[in-house]
Amino acid sequence: MTYGHVNELDGLAYLNADYIEQTFSRHAHEGYCVGVISEGAQGFYHNGAEHLAPQNTIILVNADEIHTGYSATETGWSYRALYPLPQHFEQISQDLGQPEYGAPYFRQSVVKDDALAASLRHLFNTLDHSEDTLLRETLIYTTLTQLVLKHGGSRLNIKPTKGSAQSLYLVKEFLDEYPQWPVSLTELAALACMTPFSLVRAFKRQFGLPPHAYQIQARLRVARQMLKRGLSIKDAAAEAGFHDQSHFHRHFKSAMGITPGHYMKHV
């Protein structure tokens, strides 16, 4: 498995992996996940349902959306993935003359598009074997643009939330903004004007995780940023709000598929 960042697009993250027994717990990424299955098949939970991605299909997960990952065959699965950030797609929308759409929203979790899959494979092969910056940047830009034009939708078409759902977003925003804060369920329930029991059920139904598990994902995002800035694993774990280093290590490996130490070597 290879996890790292290319020089282009301010350090676009990528992954090249072969998995047999790896199982990813429910987690989310700061960026989108755009992956193509090379061999085998991957199963995963996303958007309230289980999905199957066989060979040569494309996985699309929007930024900050909860999902899992596991093998759907006895021999596992291999895939390549990019993790573009929302601002990368926002720039593409600007260039397409549609700045009002911002970053796209992909409604399909699995896409069967042979032409786009071939473009992604060509892009990954170029990133592996060519140091030509102009070529690499051109392929990244054109492939992501192709993806937006063929499969991207607008978040403007999503109906705004009302009532209790707005309260749930207040809780989510608090956890995103202050992940290190040792907030209690009672305090979050008061923020949402709900009972603790109702908040746990409603929050999980809305976002795929109960509040405490979502807080862990928010803390992992903070810790990854700190590791990128050069903090030690111990300091990153403490600053992100984890009780101890082993607690941090376990959740990091479950969400990322690699250890914090491995991650540090490739950022």
Side-chain angles (χ1 to χ4, degrees):
M1 181 186 67
T2 302
Y3 177 87
H5 294 78
V6 299
N7 293 327
E8 295 75 18
L9 271 69
D10 300 318
L12 179 65
Y14 71 92
L15 177 70
N16 179 14
D18 301 292
Y19 294 123
I20 297 178
E21 298 180 349
Q22 174 70 35
T23 298
F24 293 94
S25 61
R26 292 194 178 194
H27 65 285
H29 303 287
E30 299 95 325
Y32 293 74
C33 176
V34 180
V36 59
I37 304 296
S38 307
E39 296 180 3
Q42 178 185 355
F44 64 103
Y45 168 89
H46 177 233
N47 275 346
E50 296 290 336
H51 302 277
L52 176 66
Q55 184 176 9
N56 205 43
T57 58
I58 299 166
I59 293 173
L60 297 175
V61 177
N62 297 294
D64 201 33
E65 287 188 341
I66 300 299
H67 59 287
T68 64
Y70 53 86
S71 176
T73 67
E74 293 183 356
T75 56
W77 84 101
S78 302
Y79 78 118
R80 302 293 306 267
L82 290 173
Y83 299 93
L85 297 172
Q87 55 261 37
H88 295 145
F89 282 120
E90 288 169 1
Q91 182 59 55
I92 289 175
S93 293
Q94 290 273 357
D95 294 342
L96 291 174
Q98 300 174 329
E100 68 276 10
Y101 291 119
Y105 185 82
F106 299 108
R107 289 177 172 77
Q108 289 183 276
S109 301
V110 180
V111 170
K112 183 71 170 73
D113 185 328
D114 291 341
L116 182 57
S119 295
L120 284 166
R121 286 194 298 269
H122 179 49
L123 168 58
F124 288 124
N125 184 65
T126 301
L127 294 177
D128 286 341
H129 301 292
S130 175
E131 298 297 327
D132 187 328
T133 300
L134 181 57
L135 174 61
R136 289 159 61 99
E137 288 183 343
T138 299
L139 288 178
I140 291 172
Y141 178 82
T142 55
T143 302
L144 293 182
T145 300
Q146 182 183 1
L147 173 64
V148 170
L149 290 174
K150 297 183 74 174
H151 301 288
S154 172
R155 291 183 183 271
L156 297 178
N157 295 328
I158 301 174
K159 295 181 180 179
T161 57
K162 297 181 179 180
S164 62
Q166 290 180 329
S167 298
L168 294 176
Y169 274 92
L170 285 177
V171 174
K172 178 181 179 296
E173 289 172 3
F174 180 90
L175 294 174
D176 286 333
E177 188 71 20
Y178 307 104
Q180 305 97 324
W181 190 268
V183 65
S184 69
L185 178 60
T186 302
E187 290 170 325
L188 291 177
L191 177 63
C193 298
M194 302 172 71
T195 67
F197 180 69
S198 297
L199 173 62
V200 171
R201 289 196 307 170
F203 194 94
K204 183 176 181 180
R205 184 168 58 249
Q206 184 74 28
F207 301 113
L209 291 173
H212 75 279
Y214 185 86
Q215 183 187 59
I216 289 174
Q217 295 304 311
R219 288 176 172 177
L220 286 173
R221 288 196 293 270
V222 171
R224 287 195 293 269
Q225 292 301 318
M226 292 181 174
L227 292 175
K228 288 180 181 179
R229 295 202 299 266
L231 267 70
S232 69
I233 294 174
K234 180 180 179 180
D235 289 343
E239 290 294 326
F242 288 95
H243 300 305
D244 54 57
Q245 194 169 330
S246 62
H247 185 233
F248 170 56
H249 187 282
R250 183 174 72 255
H251 284 293
F252 195 100
K253 179 70 162 56
S254 179
M256 297 291 293
I258 57 177
T259 65
H262 189 176
Y263 181 84
M264 288 187 71
K265 293 179 182 178
H266 295 87
V267 295

